[in-house]
Amino acid sequence: MKTRHLIAAALSLTLLAPLAAEAQQEAFMAADKNGDTKLDANEFKTFIDGLAAAGNPMAGKIKGAGRYGLAFGRIDKDKNGLLTPAELSALK
């Protein structure tokens, strides 16, 4: 449960707003198939698709343009191939 709150807190600050924090959290947790609280490139695609389906305009643009890799690369600041809630929340 603590992990869920950590993810929610980090995601509530993201540029991927104005989607409600709960919807962001649900999209993150649904995408995080292995439960490690990080998203790999495939999980990120699922995350963006979930946000786009929920009406997030930025996610819709990424999905519509098929620019998942570009977006992932820009967010993955440490270039380790995984996105953390902290990296997502740094999108201000």
Side-chain angles (χ1 to χ4, degrees), residues 21-83:
E22 184 175 319
Q24 290 180 33
Q25 176 185 346
E26 288 174 13
F28 187 97
M29 295 188 73
D32 183 20
K33 298 296 183 194
N34 63 1
D36 66 353
T37 67
K38 298 174 185 118
L39 301 179
D40 63 24
N42 290 327
E43 291 170 330
F44 177 71
K45 181 181 183 303
T46 301
F47 175 65
I48 292 298
D49 289 348
L51 292 178
N56 181 279
M58 180 60 72
K61 288 179 184 179
I62 294 168
K63 180 179 179 177
R67 303 299 289 209
Y68 300 98
L70 178 65
F72 186 93
R74 288 187 177 170
I75 299 167
D76 186 16
K77 295 299 183 189
D78 61 7
K79 304 303 180 201
N80 70 348
L82 298 170
L83 299 181

